[in-house]
Amino acid sequence: MFDFVISLVERTGYFGIALLMFAENVFPPIPSELIMPLGGYVAAKGELNVIVVVLAGSFGSLLGAMFWYYIGRMVGADRLKRWASRHGRWLALSPHEIDAARNWFQRHGWAAVFFGRMVPGIRTLISVPAGMAEMKLLPFLLYSAAGTILFTALLTGAGFLLENNFELIGKYMNPVSRVVVIGLVLGYIYRVLTFDRRNAARAG
């Protein structure tokens, strides 16, 4: 996989970076912590422009964010509430919690989107509640773009400075992604196991 990414970026340049970042956001087979530092490394060799690398990676990433945003819009909070009323335990959500989450997102969603786009493991997921909460498209795009450009610029800049050692970025950031994902899985398991108790407490 590592050799494939290097080969694709070196052969297709900006298009390959945008394509890989889109794929990473839709179904993350390749971490952005590898793609963007690689783009920075190729730019450091003089084969690409570092600013265009950042823009290409950000563009691909935003396309992936839009995909999940519209998935969230299509599912919608009302449909999710119907699912939760029938399968709440396995969704780890009750209809009440969905309403509360939607209200919170409508008030503070910009911060969740902006910071979420910079957190490995959360970057893709944050687009779904934004869509479900029917966050307006323009603010979603603006805050997503701001967080995405900052994140991709940091990764690209690190690859540009480290050059031949760019893969060290992925080595140190991948554990962060794993911790976030493990935390999400453990949180889900906890909510499934305590679902009845939480709802009984709310009813009381």
Side-chain angles (χ1 to χ4, degrees), residues 76-198:
D78 292 336
R79 182 178 297 174
L80 185 62
K81 285 169 64 177
R82 291 196 296 271
W83 292 348
S85 66
R86 296 194 297 267
H87 312 290
R89 173 182 291 279
W90 302 114
L91 288 174
L93 287 170
S94 68
H96 170 79
E97 289 172 322
I98 293 169
D99 282 333
R102 179 168 59 176
N103 292 336
W104 181 90
F105 211 97
Q106 287 172 342
R107 294 194 305 271
H108 309 291
W110 69 268
V113 170
F114 174 72
F115 290 108
R117 291 297 296 167
M118 293 185 283
V119 180
I122 300 294
R123 298 178 63 247
T124 297
L125 298 176
I126 197 60
S127 301
V128 177
M132 285 186 174
E134 298 183 354
M135 184 178 186
K136 291 183 179 179
L137 180 59
L138 183 58
F140 172 77
L141 282 176
L142 289 176
Y143 290 116
S144 291
T148 298
I149 291 172
L150 181 57
F151 184 70
T152 55
L154 288 172
L155 291 178
T156 305
F160 187 90
L161 294 174
L162 287 174
E163 295 191 24
N164 290 328
N165 295 314
F166 72 91
E167 70 274 9
L168 292 176
I169 301 167
K171 177 181 176 181
Y172 289 108
M173 290 197 68
N174 281 341
V176 176
S177 301
R178 293 192 190 98
V179 168
V180 172
V181 171
I182 291 171
L184 291 173
V185 171
L186 292 176
Y188 170 77
I189 293 172
Y190 172 80
R191 289 181 63 83
V192 168
L193 294 176
T194 62
F195 184 79
D196 291 334
R197 187 166 71 244
R198 285 186 288 116

Side-chain angles (χ1 to χ4, degrees), residues 5 7 13-14 23 32 42 49-50 52 58 64 74 91 101 109 113 149-150 156 158 201:
V5 173
S7 175
Y14 307 117
S32 54
V42 177
N49 181 284
V50 68
V52 183
S58 299
M74 285 189 294
L91 288 174
V113 170
I149 291 172
L150 181 57
T156 305

